[in-house]
Amino acid sequence: MAADNTPAPTDRLGASALKAFTHPLRMALLSALQEGPATATMLARRLGESSGQTSYHLRQLERHGLVEDDPAHVGGRERWWRAVGFTVDGGAMLADPATTTNAQDLVAFAVADQARTLGEWAARLGTDHARRGQAALSATLDLTEEEAVDLVTRGQRLLDEVSAEAEARAAAGATGDRRRVRVYFNVLPLPAPGTPGADT
């Protein structure tokens, strides 16, 4: 997920929440909210939908604990929403016939969303805003399944800590020349040599 003021992940997405989430508009709404809190009207304009549609689907996301009221905007005429962090056991969801299709939809959306975000960033490379804090880290490693899981766990722990620190600074009213950043952390198994899809 994105590294921003979204609360650090506190729960693992269950099967019923996954099924509710993997609706194209709901996934788009959550992706948009990871860029910052917004109202249903603002999201409708951004996504080219009616405010009635965005309001309905935001309430469905709220029912499953995926969005919540933004505490920085209370008492106004329209509700402000923010995303709630969560984790997904992708392997288990893909292996379970009851959730395989939904898990595949989520993976496809995540890949497309990353590609869109990276493409937009690349188009802005000539600006100071795009260059600030940029980093592209990658490595190809030989790991056991347990070691790969440990890498994911350690990466998630670090991201949770940084997210919680950012949220605490925002709650304390900290100022400074801060910019929103998007962090992707992928650990992907590669095909074994000699299998279809492997490099030759």
Side-chain angles (χ1 to χ4, degrees):
M1 305 299 290
D4 47 34
N5 290 339
T6 299
T10 58
D11 200 6
R12 176 164 289 182
L13 202 65
S16 62
L18 176 67
K19 291 178 180 179
F21 177 45
T22 49
H23 177 287
L25 180 52
R26 293 175 193 173
M27 291 189 289
L29 286 167
L30 198 66
S31 177
L33 286 174
Q34 287 170 358
E35 298 176 9
T39 67
T41 300
M42 294 165 62
L43 292 166
R45 286 197 298 265
R46 188 182 309 179
L47 300 175
E49 298 284 344
S50 70
S51 58
Q53 280 289 302
T54 55
S55 292
Y56 170 77
H57 288 291
L58 284 166
R59 290 194 299 272
Q60 296 306 306
L61 290 171
E62 180 188 32
R63 190 160 69 89
H64 291 278
L66 299 173
V67 300
E68 64 185 11
D69 287 311
D70 178 37
H73 299 85
V74 294
R77 294 178 55 189
E78 191 172 4
R79 292 179 73 177
W80 282 73
W81 300 88
R82 70 173 183 175
V84 175
F86 62 87
T87 61
V88 178
D89 188 342
M93 293 291 190
L94 287 167
D96 184 349
T99 54
T100 297
T101 299
N102 298 113
Q104 290 172 335
D105 289 343
L106 179 58
V107 170
F109 179 84
V111 170
D113 193 55
Q114 287 191 28
R116 176 189 60 80
T117 303
L118 290 169
E120 292 173 352
W121 166 76
R124 301 192 309 272
L125 275 178
T127 69
D128 289 339
H129 178 80
R131 290 195 298 268
R132 179 175 298 195
Q134 68 178 354
L137 308 176
S138 67
T140 302
L141 309 171
D142 291 317
L143 300 175
T144 66
E145 182 174 356
E146 292 76 13
E147 290 166 344
V149 170
D150 180 61
L151 174 58
V152 172
T153 301
R154 290 158 66 182
Q156 183 67 64
R157 186 182 304 123
L158 175 60
L159 192 56
D160 290 350
E161 291 173 359
V162 174
S163 296
E165 291 167 0
E167 186 178 5
R169 286 194 298 268
T175 59
D177 189 16
R178 292 185 173 84
R179 300 287 179 88
R180 299 185 73 78
V181 301
R182 178 66 61 91
V183 177
Y184 294 115
F185 181 66
N186 301 312
V187 178
L188 308 174
L190 301 177
T195 61
D199 292 335
T200 56

